[in-house]
Amino acid sequence: GSPDTTFFEQKDMKGKNPHTYYNAATLAYLGDAVWEMYLRRSHVGVPLNLANYRMKVQRDACAEAQSRCYEQLLSQNASADLKLTF
């Protein structure tokens, strides 16, 4: 597909909603991958060696860290200008 199409648009799902085409585990896996890429991007620029980058991303991508972020979203009513802190 073109760079302007999403993963779900590139996949021929025959008009189905993504969560009826993919099971929950697959969607969670894709979501984790997107979250990890966001974390990698946010940690780049801080002068660390590669092992420390990997350790920080793994620490922030784990289920417990995702749960803390979710709780933070809930406590701040998920406002549009929300800034998550790690």
Side-chain angles (χ1 to χ4, degrees), residues 29-67:
Y29 180 77
L30 290 171
D32 286 349
V34 170
W35 181 242
E36 187 173 323
M37 289 301 297
Y38 171 80
L39 292 171
R40 286 177 182 225
R41 193 181 91 198
S42 71
H43 290 317
V44 169
V46 179
L48 298 172
N49 64 36
L50 189 57
N52 286 339
Y53 277 126
R54 186 177 50 79
M55 183 181 65
K56 285 179 67 81
V57 169
Q58 286 178 336
R59 180 199 67 205
D60 292 342
C62 73
E64 293 82 7
Q66 289 185 38
S67 178

Side-chain angles (χ1 to χ4, degrees), residues 69-84:
C69 288
Y70 178 72
E71 292 299 324
Q72 189 176 357
L73 283 168
L74 290 179
S75 72
Q76 296 180 15
N77 294 322
S79 65
D81 59 343
L82 178 68
K83 178 77 173 163
L84 293 177

